[in-house]
Amino acid sequence: MVPELRPWRSARPHLVRAAGAVRPRLARLARAAEPRIARFARATGPRLVRITRPKTWQYTAGAATAGLALAAGVVTAAGPWDSTGQRTAERDRAVAQEHTGGADHGRTSGPGGTTAGTPRPAPSAGAVLAGLGGSGTPGGVKAAPGGEALGDLLGPLLDDPALGTDRAASVVDLTTGKRLYGLGGDAPLTPASTTKIATAVAALTALGPDHRLTTRTALEGDTGELVLVGGGDPTLTARADAKGLASLRTLAEKTAAALKKRDLRKVTLSYDTTLYAGDEMHPIGVNENLARVTALMADEGRKDDSTSGPADREADPAAQAARAFAGFLKQHGVTASAPGPSKATGRADTLAAVFSPPLSALVERMLTNSDNDLAEALARHTAVASGRPADFDGASAAMKDRLKRLGLPVRGAELNDGSGLDRTDLVGADLLTALLAEAADPERPQLRSVLTGLPVAGFTGTLAGRYTDGAAGLVRAKTGTLTGVNTLAGTVVTADGRLLGFAFMAHGTSDPAAAQATLDRAATSLASCGCG
């Protein structure tokens, strides 16, 4: 059973005001990035005309939809992440509304507060569902579409043979948490990458949205050994332009300066990966979709310049990161030995540290890009925060326990990894929509990034090339694809301005493109629904 949420009022007034408030900021950003945005506009202009043509789509969101589409366009043209890892459109909306500082602002540096040198995040945007909590139109929240109407709408689509031998569906009203439609929703099926929604909720619940992953160096006073201590941050980068991520080069520069103050210019270098336990190899084995799961890596162990998607990976990401670190130390006048594995003792002095973006930004990145390395890292950090071994079994138990504590329907669920690459994972459609409802609950603002991180149809992430003739900008959903498995779970704004959560799961599919197209049509049908 999906938890009931307290009713909210209509989103339309706040969304329209938000669109008006953010327009000047977006206009300035658009002028700054004019060439790229012009190319984007030329490429998507016909698509947006088709979407907004009155005779086809008469969405009541109106100006709000246009504002969201503009924001998404700027995000796509200028890049979805700013220097702190926050979505640029959200940052500009926050500034336009004169919000002051992020959730972790105002803490003092040093003991009891934010560690000295921790970057300050951009101003926090309002909650993605804030409009639903504002002053509503007379009459309050409209009635959600009924199960019979949704059954008539979705039934023919879900009967499509393209969806294979088994299929399941669940639709909930995110303003109330009420289940509106279900088809085998309690039957666990292989979720593929929609598992990441569960990983995100578990990690945010265990650690909080402001948590940062720390990579540091420690000097053993008795031996003079320098230890590079992995903090389980797969976004740690060795690239010259860190783009707001934790930088291995910066860590080397700070470490070299600290060593020189101690009159040390030659060190024995080691690296520590003991934050994690157990086997580093995912059950799928060597695979271009995932590096070895280790507490120390740079750029997710990628051998190329990519930042997402499949890529050749380093055979030993930790050793490679340590070798790169030694090279950066040398650039700053410190010579290091060839690095080997070790463990920093409790007596070692921390010399320097670098920090990841806040967990909320990492969750958004994980969901938008379907980042398997981040997903496995967040699963292990959930285990660490829960006092369990940071291996596959410990992460699985910790995630399931966190969801159970939230009162979510986890019976029959199997979360054997964080990414969904493990085909033995089992999740029901009802659990997926319950996770979305939990993230939409105004009493759970710490879960907001689960919704803001979902790819936007026609604009970002794994949905960037989909919905070009359909509900672009109105569907936000996590995709999932394995051989014989196609899933889709997320949120959709209906033609009546209602916000629904949905999950569609198909198993035993033989044509992934056809199955994906059918799932997209199902989500689009919800967007065009005036089923009340």
mmCIF file of all heavy atoms in Angstrom, residues 2 7 28 51 71 112 211 213 226 246 268 295 331 361 396 403 415 419 421-422 426 432-433 474 482 515:
data_model
loop_
_atom_site.group_PDB
_atom_site.id
_atom_site.type_symbol
_atom_site.label_atom_id
_atom_site.label_comp_id
_atom_site.label_asym_id
_atom_site.label_seq_id
_atom_site.Cartn_x
_atom_site.Cartn_y
_atom_site.Cartn_z
ATOM 1 N N VAL A 2 0.583 2.179 -0.898
ATOM 2 C CA VAL A 2 1.354 3.414 -0.972
ATOM 3 C C VAL A 2 0.962 4.319 0.178
ATOM 4 O O VAL A 2 -0.218 4.520 0.445
ATOM 5 C CB VAL A 2 1.073 4.139 -2.312
ATOM 6 C CG1 VAL A 2 1.842 5.436 -2.375
ATOM 7 C CG2 VAL A 2 1.436 3.239 -3.471
ATOM 8 N N PRO A 7 -2.947 16.253 1.461
ATOM 9 C CA PRO A 7 -3.317 16.901 0.203
ATOM 10 C C PRO A 7 -2.586 18.224 0.037
ATOM 11 O O PRO A 7 -2.318 18.934 0.991
ATOM 12 C CB PRO A 7 -4.837 17.112 0.342
ATOM 13 C CG PRO A 7 -5.265 16.147 1.400
ATOM 14 C CD PRO A 7 -4.097 16.033 2.337
ATOM 15 N N ARG A 28 19.230 36.178 -19.355
ATOM 16 C CA ARG A 28 20.642 36.584 -19.282
ATOM 17 C C ARG A 28 21.562 35.410 -19.550
ATOM 18 O O ARG A 28 22.567 35.540 -20.247
ATOM 19 C CB ARG A 28 20.929 37.189 -17.907
ATOM 20 C CG ARG A 28 20.304 38.574 -17.721
ATOM 21 C CD ARG A 28 20.926 39.298 -16.548
ATOM 22 N NE ARG A 28 20.579 38.665 -15.294
ATOM 23 C CZ ARG A 28 19.470 38.933 -14.620
ATOM 24 N NH1 ARG A 28 18.591 39.807 -15.085
ATOM 25 N NH2 ARG A 28 19.222 38.330 -13.468
ATOM 26 N N ILE A 51 4.710 20.045 -30.047
ATOM 27 C CA ILE A 51 4.256 19.732 -28.690
ATOM 28 C C ILE A 51 3.177 20.711 -28.237
ATOM 29 O O ILE A 51 2.203 20.323 -27.592
ATOM 30 C CB ILE A 51 5.454 19.800 -27.717
ATOM 31 C CG1 ILE A 51 6.425 18.662 -28.034
ATOM 32 C CG2 ILE A 51 4.986 19.672 -26.271
ATOM 33 C CD1 ILE A 51 7.747 18.838 -27.330
ATOM 34 N N ALA A 71 13.824 26.488 -19.376
ATOM 35 C CA ALA A 71 14.846 26.088 -18.419
ATOM 36 C C ALA A 71 15.566 24.848 -18.896
ATOM 37 O O ALA A 71 16.790 24.763 -18.850
ATOM 38 C CB ALA A 71 14.218 25.831 -17.045
ATOM 39 N N GLY A 112 33.013 20.850 14.768
ATOM 40 C CA GLY A 112 31.581 21.001 14.971
ATOM 41 C C GLY A 112 30.842 21.589 13.798
ATOM 42 O O GLY A 112 29.628 21.708 13.806
ATOM 43 N N HIS A 211 25.451 15.578 2.782
ATOM 44 C CA HIS A 211 26.648 14.778 3.022
ATOM 45 C C HIS A 211 27.592 14.850 1.823
ATOM 46 O O HIS A 211 27.159 14.835 0.673
ATOM 47 C CB HIS A 211 26.254 13.323 3.280
ATOM 48 C CG HIS A 211 27.411 12.424 3.591
ATOM 49 N ND1 HIS A 211 28.019 12.397 4.828
ATOM 50 C CD2 HIS A 211 28.078 11.519 2.828
ATOM 51 C CE1 HIS A 211 29.003 11.520 4.818
ATOM 52 N NE2 HIS A 211 29.060 10.976 3.620
ATOM 53 N N LEU A 213 31.416 13.308 0.165
ATOM 54 C CA LEU A 213 32.397 12.227 0.211
ATOM 55 C C LEU A 213 33.790 12.833 0.214
ATOM 56 O O LEU A 213 34.099 13.718 -0.590
ATOM 57 C CB LEU A 213 32.212 11.299 -0.997
ATOM 58 C CG LEU A 213 30.771 10.837 -1.257
ATOM 59 C CD1 LEU A 213 30.718 9.896 -2.460
ATOM 60 C CD2 LEU A 213 30.178 10.169 -0.020
ATOM 61 N N LEU A 226 53.210 8.285 3.273
ATOM 62 C CA LEU A 226 52.078 9.112 2.860
ATOM 63 C C LEU A 226 51.004 8.196 2.286
ATOM 64 O O LEU A 226 51.266 7.418 1.373
ATOM 65 C CB LEU A 226 52.510 10.133 1.811
ATOM 66 C CG LEU A 226 51.401 11.032 1.246
ATOM 67 C CD1 LEU A 226 50.854 11.961 2.327
ATOM 68 C CD2 LEU A 226 51.900 11.838 0.045
ATOM 69 N N ALA A 246 35.518 16.979 -6.814
ATOM 70 C CA ALA A 246 36.747 16.878 -6.026
ATOM 71 C C ALA A 246 37.914 16.608 -6.970
ATOM 72 O O ALA A 246 37.830 15.744 -7.844
ATOM 73 C CB ALA A 246 36.618 15.759 -5.003
ATOM 74 N N THR A 268 57.322 7.875 0.742
ATOM 75 C CA THR A 268 56.826 6.564 0.335
ATOM 76 C C THR A 268 55.305 6.678 0.237
ATOM 77 O O THR A 268 54.635 7.038 1.207
ATOM 78 C CB THR A 268 57.200 5.488 1.359
ATOM 79 O OG1 THR A 268 58.621 5.406 1.454
ATOM 80 C CG2 THR A 268 56.632 4.129 0.956
ATOM 81 N N ALA A 295 36.936 1.937 -3.226
ATOM 82 C CA ALA A 295 36.795 3.216 -2.526
ATOM 83 C C ALA A 295 37.689 4.302 -3.090
ATOM 84 O O ALA A 295 37.572 5.472 -2.697
ATOM 85 C CB ALA A 295 37.094 3.028 -1.038
ATOM 86 N N GLN A 331 54.871 17.324 -9.866
ATOM 87 C CA GLN A 331 54.739 18.655 -10.456
ATOM 88 C C GLN A 331 54.882 19.756 -9.413
ATOM 89 O O GLN A 331 55.182 20.897 -9.755
ATOM 90 C CB GLN A 331 53.384 18.776 -11.161
ATOM 91 C CG GLN A 331 53.228 17.881 -12.375
ATOM 92 C CD GLN A 331 51.830 17.964 -12.974
ATOM 93 O OE1 GLN A 331 51.028 18.824 -12.598
ATOM 94 N NE2 GLN A 331 51.522 17.062 -13.905
ATOM 95 N N ALA A 361 23.310 16.443 -5.079
ATOM 96 C CA ALA A 361 23.807 16.617 -6.446
ATOM 97 C C ALA A 361 24.286 15.292 -7.029
ATOM 98 O O ALA A 361 24.110 15.027 -8.220
ATOM 99 C CB ALA A 361 24.937 17.649 -6.467
ATOM 100 N N SER A 396 23.151 -4.381 0.241
ATOM 101 C CA SER A 396 21.805 -4.883 -0.030
ATOM 102 C C SER A 396 20.943 -4.856 1.226
ATOM 103 O O SER A 396 19.804 -4.364 1.208
ATOM 104 C CB SER A 396 21.885 -6.308 -0.585
ATOM 105 O OG SER A 396 20.605 -6.895 -0.687
ATOM 106 N N LEU A 403 14.527 1.261 3.500
ATOM 107 C CA LEU A 403 13.217 1.380 2.866
ATOM 108 C C LEU A 403 12.126 0.807 3.755
ATOM 109 O O LEU A 403 11.017 1.355 3.825
ATOM 110 C CB LEU A 403 13.225 0.678 1.511
ATOM 111 C CG LEU A 403 14.266 1.160 0.492
ATOM 112 C CD1 LEU A 403 14.043 0.480 -0.844
ATOM 113 C CD2 LEU A 403 14.250 2.674 0.343
ATOM 114 N N LEU A 415 17.357 -6.397 -3.480
ATOM 115 C CA LEU A 415 18.244 -5.331 -3.946
ATOM 116 C C LEU A 415 19.676 -5.823 -3.800
ATOM 117 O O LEU A 415 20.325 -5.578 -2.792
ATOM 118 C CB LEU A 415 18.005 -4.049 -3.149
ATOM 119 C CG LEU A 415 16.585 -3.482 -3.203
ATOM 120 C CD1 LEU A 415 16.437 -2.328 -2.221
ATOM 121 C CD2 LEU A 415 16.229 -3.035 -4.613
ATOM 122 N N SER A 419 22.982 -0.517 -8.662
ATOM 123 C CA SER A 419 22.834 0.003 -10.018
ATOM 124 C C SER A 419 21.706 -0.627 -10.807
ATOM 125 O O SER A 419 21.211 -0.036 -11.770
ATOM 126 C CB SER A 419 24.141 -0.199 -10.791
ATOM 127 O OG SER A 419 24.433 -1.599 -10.902
ATOM 128 N N LEU A 421 22.241 -3.500 -12.399
ATOM 129 C CA LEU A 421 22.880 -4.356 -13.400
ATOM 130 C C LEU A 421 22.748 -5.836 -13.050
ATOM 131 O O LEU A 421 22.896 -6.694 -13.919
ATOM 132 C CB LEU A 421 24.364 -3.984 -13.547
ATOM 133 C CG LEU A 421 24.652 -2.631 -14.199
ATOM 134 C CD1 LEU A 421 26.141 -2.310 -14.100
ATOM 135 C CD2 LEU A 421 24.203 -2.618 -15.656
ATOM 136 N N ASP A 422 22.482 -6.132 -11.785
ATOM 137 C CA ASP A 422 22.330 -7.519 -11.347
ATOM 138 C C ASP A 422 20.925 -8.007 -11.713
ATOM 139 O O ASP A 422 19.922 -7.470 -11.238
ATOM 140 C CB ASP A 422 22.542 -7.612 -9.832
ATOM 141 C CG ASP A 422 22.712 -9.053 -9.354
ATOM 142 O OD1 ASP A 422 22.068 -9.951 -9.937
ATOM 143 O OD2 ASP A 422 23.477 -9.264 -8.398
ATOM 144 N N LEU A 426 14.976 -7.781 -7.694
ATOM 145 C CA LEU A 426 13.530 -7.902 -7.873
ATOM 146 C C LEU A 426 12.837 -6.740 -7.167
ATOM 147 O O LEU A 426 13.080 -6.497 -5.985
ATOM 148 C CB LEU A 426 13.014 -9.225 -7.306
ATOM 149 C CG LEU A 426 13.428 -10.510 -8.032
ATOM 150 C CD1 LEU A 426 12.980 -11.731 -7.240
ATOM 151 C CD2 LEU A 426 12.833 -10.553 -9.444
ATOM 152 N N LEU A 432 8.110 0.891 -6.635
ATOM 153 C CA LEU A 432 8.676 2.026 -7.362
ATOM 154 C C LEU A 432 7.813 3.278 -7.203
ATOM 155 O O LEU A 432 8.335 4.372 -6.957
ATOM 156 C CB LEU A 432 8.841 1.675 -8.842
ATOM 157 C CG LEU A 432 9.950 0.668 -9.172
ATOM 158 C CD1 LEU A 432 9.902 0.282 -10.649
ATOM 159 C CD2 LEU A 432 11.320 1.233 -8.823
ATOM 160 N N THR A 433 6.492 3.134 -7.328
ATOM 161 C CA THR A 433 5.643 4.322 -7.160
ATOM 162 C C THR A 433 5.584 4.764 -5.697
ATOM 163 O O THR A 433 5.444 5.956 -5.415
ATOM 164 C CB THR A 433 4.223 4.077 -7.693
ATOM 165 O OG1 THR A 433 3.692 2.871 -7.143
ATOM 166 C CG2 THR A 433 4.227 3.994 -9.209
ATOM 167 N N LEU A 474 7.239 17.128 -19.875
ATOM 168 C CA LEU A 474 6.195 16.815 -18.907
ATOM 169 C C LEU A 474 6.414 15.471 -18.227
ATOM 170 O O LEU A 474 5.919 15.255 -17.123
ATOM 171 C CB LEU A 474 4.824 16.823 -19.594
ATOM 172 C CG LEU A 474 4.422 18.169 -20.209
ATOM 173 C CD1 LEU A 474 3.055 18.060 -20.854
ATOM 174 C CD2 LEU A 474 4.424 19.266 -19.156
ATOM 175 N N LEU A 482 17.781 -4.016 -19.678
ATOM 176 C CA LEU A 482 18.674 -5.156 -19.740
ATOM 177 C C LEU A 482 18.145 -6.060 -20.847
ATOM 178 O O LEU A 482 17.032 -5.863 -21.344
ATOM 179 C CB LEU A 482 18.697 -5.922 -18.412
ATOM 180 C CG LEU A 482 19.299 -5.227 -17.196
ATOM 181 C CD1 LEU A 482 19.040 -6.047 -15.937
ATOM 182 C CD2 LEU A 482 20.808 -5.008 -17.385
ATOM 183 N N ALA A 515 9.610 -2.277 -27.226
ATOM 184 C CA ALA A 515 9.140 -2.223 -25.843
ATOM 185 C C ALA A 515 9.293 -0.818 -25.277
ATOM 186 O O ALA A 515 8.387 -0.291 -24.607
ATOM 187 C CB ALA A 515 9.917 -3.221 -24.994
#
